[in-house]
Structures are given as structure tokens and as C-alpha cells.
Amino acid sequence: MSCALDKQTKGDLLFVCREAEQTGVDFENTLVEDEYHNIINYIYYYNGAGVSVGYVNNDGLDDLFFVSNMGANKLYLNKGDLKFQDITNSANIESKLSWNTGSTMIDINQDGYLDIYVCSVSGLLDFKGSNELFINNGDGTFTEKAAEYNLDFSGYSTQAYFFDYDNDRDLDVYLVNHAIHTTLSHGSADVRNKRVPKVGDVLLQNQNGNFVDVSEKSGIFGGQNGYGLSASISDFNNDGLQTYMFVMIFMKMITITSITETAPLLKILNPASQPLVGFPWEVTQQTLMETVL
């Protein structure tokens, strides 16, 4: 896509596109189709991949981390004036994953430097690997340490959301995972009640740097019909505790879960027996009006 515009059009726009030659950002997420890798065999084939923004060297300038589904991820250092330098190789941040999805910048070890968490899909088609956590060494380099934190989840991940769900002043994580389109994902809404490895969403509690799966005891749905797209974290009912909104497609609708006063147990605000209504949805402290996407 070209950024070329005539002078009159440029004057009417709030934003102006800058070409890769100007910025140094030449990233492309290129997908290659063949008989094995295509949207027929994997319905999320064209969902795209993630991008994270934050200053990894603490200079106050936002750096860019781009995820490529089946190619090389890229980290660009902001040099100022919208000029960026590709530091992927020197930063030691190359992924070993077959299929990358979302990314998140967080300071997971609270050392003052942003780390990078990369989600992936594995165990499907010929996709291999597990989610990766690149710890910022503070010297322009990163070290992959997902296994040390028990964050090397292997499954069908879409995106990770880090937040303090139990109010103990460290970061826990909610993993949005997605189903694959098989006959097992069809059926009544209660299919979501039986947790399935790789597919079901996962809530991991940070216990002194070791992330422990508390999904089942917390009431998180994890069934075959969880076509996870995204989540949003906020205190929707203003009780001082974080609430989650999960967006699903196909078999599941928008779901909101709130933390009770006896955290870490959760309370589902929209029982499956509630009637479905049309857009828009609205939330009270006790009721979610569900929406069919």
C-alpha cells in the first residue's frame, strides 16, 4: 500500500503516513498458502498477529515489537523523530515458534525493564513450540525464560493479559486460547464447562514468580467451544477488584466474570440460562445482557 497523496489531500488529514524508507520500519507479516497451510485447515489463518509498544531501554521513546505468524518477529528501537532501528538480532529476541500470535510488553520481574511475552499455536498442523517470555537484561539484550516462570504454555493461544487479579501487587496472567473447528466444538452451551487442554482459556496466578494454573477453581470456562478472540480487563462494577470481559465468536458470546470479595474465586455474571439479546449489550453489577456477534 502506498502512502502517496496529493498536496491538497495531505492538508486535510490529521495523520500522515510515512514510508518504510523514512522510518526504518520495514516489517511485513507474510503468509504463504499451500495444501497444508490454509484457512480450510486452520480457520484462524488470516487473524493476523500482534504488536507491542513500549520503551525497552527506558529512554522514554516508544519502541515497537512486531509479531509475524510464520516469519521472523522484529524489534525496532525508537531513535527519535519517528526513526527506528531494527535491533532484533543484537537483542537476541528471535522466536523459535512455528506460528506466533499475540504479544505483550510487561515488567514481569519488576526490575524496571519491560519484558516481552509472545503467544503461539502448537500441536496443530505442523506447528511446534510453546509461548515464549523474553526477559529484558537491561543492556539491550533479552533472554528467553518462559519455562522458569511456568509460562511456557503449549496450545492454541491468541493473546495474554497480565494484571493483578488477586490484589497481591504482582502480575498474574489470563491466556485467551481458541478452539479448532471440529464436531466436538458443537453442542449446547454447557460444553464450555468441561475443561480441555490446549483449547480452554487459562488463568495463571503468580506465586512468587511461579505461575500456577487456577482456572478450574476460579470458575474459568475452558471447553471445546471457546473460540477466543480477545479480553478486556477493568473494574466494571467499581468494587476495587478486576473484572474480565472475554470476547468469543461462533459458539460463545461475550462473557463477563468478576472477582468476588473472597478472591481468587470468580463469579460469572451471565449464567448460560439467560436469554440472548441483540446489540448493544449493557452491564449492571449483577447482570450481563449477552450479545450474539
Side-chain angles (χ1 to χ4, degrees), residues 60-222:
L61 298 175
D62 286 326
D63 308 306
L64 306 174
F65 180 74
F66 290 94
V67 176
S68 173
N69 289 127
M70 59 194 317
N73 302 333
K74 295 288 185 179
L75 178 61
Y76 292 89
L77 192 67
N78 192 336
K79 308 297 288 185
D81 195 29
L82 291 180
K83 306 289 186 182
F84 293 84
Q85 176 187 355
D86 184 350
I87 62 168
T88 306
N89 293 333
S90 62
N92 189 36
I93 203 164
E94 293 103 339
S95 173
K96 294 180 173 62
L97 306 174
S98 301
W99 187 270
N100 301 270
T101 51
S103 69
T104 310
M105 283 189 181
I106 70 286
D107 182 7
I108 196 66
N109 54 4
Q110 300 181 356
D111 67 349
Y113 289 92
L114 285 175
D115 312 300
I116 302 177
Y117 189 68
V118 182
C119 290
S120 67
V121 173
S122 60
L124 179 68
L125 301 181
D126 58 352
F127 301 154
K128 298 178 181 178
S130 57
N131 292 359
E132 297 175 327
L133 173 64
F134 294 94
I135 296 295
N136 193 331
N137 298 319
D139 59 0
T141 66
F142 292 77
T143 303
E144 204 289 307
K145 293 186 177 182
E148 293 186 20
Y149 288 80
N150 198 33
L151 286 172
D152 54 337
F153 176 84
S154 180
Y156 312 147
S157 290
T158 298
Q159 178 63 306
Y161 297 84
F162 288 83
F163 66 109
D164 184 11
Y165 100 103
D166 51 6
N167 284 353
D168 66 349
R169 299 188 178 182
D170 59 21
L171 290 174
D172 312 293
V173 62
Y174 185 90
L175 288 179
V176 173
N177 302 318
H178 64 71
I180 54 176
H181 211 43
T182 71
T183 56
L184 297 177
S185 59
H186 296 274
S188 60
D190 60 9
V191 171
R192 64 184 177 176
N193 296 326
K194 182 179 179 181
R195 296 200 60 80
V196 178
K198 297 184 181 291
V199 175
D201 287 0
V202 175
L203 177 63
L204 300 172
Q205 184 183 39
N206 188 341
Q207 298 181 6
N208 298 317
N210 181 49
F211 284 78
V212 178
D213 190 341
V214 294
S215 310
E216 189 166 1
K217 76 174 185 179
S218 299
I220 298 297
F221 293 136

Side-chain angles (χ1 to χ4, degrees), residues 1-41:
M1 178 180 293
S2 172
C3 294
L5 295 169
D6 58 57
K7 292 182 179 180
Q8 182 177 0
T9 304
K10 283 186 178 180
D12 297 333
L13 297 178
L14 181 61
F15 296 96
V16 175
C17 181
R18 294 198 179 186
E19 299 283 1
E21 292 78 9
Q22 298 173 286
T23 65
V25 179
D26 55 357
F27 172 81
E28 292 184 359
N29 182 21
T30 303
L31 298 179
V32 179
E33 282 189 349
D34 56 36
E35 293 181 356
Y36 198 53
H37 303 93
N38 54 64
I39 197 172
I40 303 300
N41 290 334

Side-chain angles (χ1 to χ4, degrees), residues 209-238:
N210 181 49
F211 284 78
V212 178
D213 190 341
V214 294
S215 310
E216 189 166 1
K217 76 174 185 179
S218 299
I220 298 297
F221 293 136
Q224 290 276 13
N225 58 350
Y227 291 85
L229 292 179
S230 64
S232 181
I233 314 295
S234 182
D235 183 7
F236 287 97
N237 56 359
N238 296 319

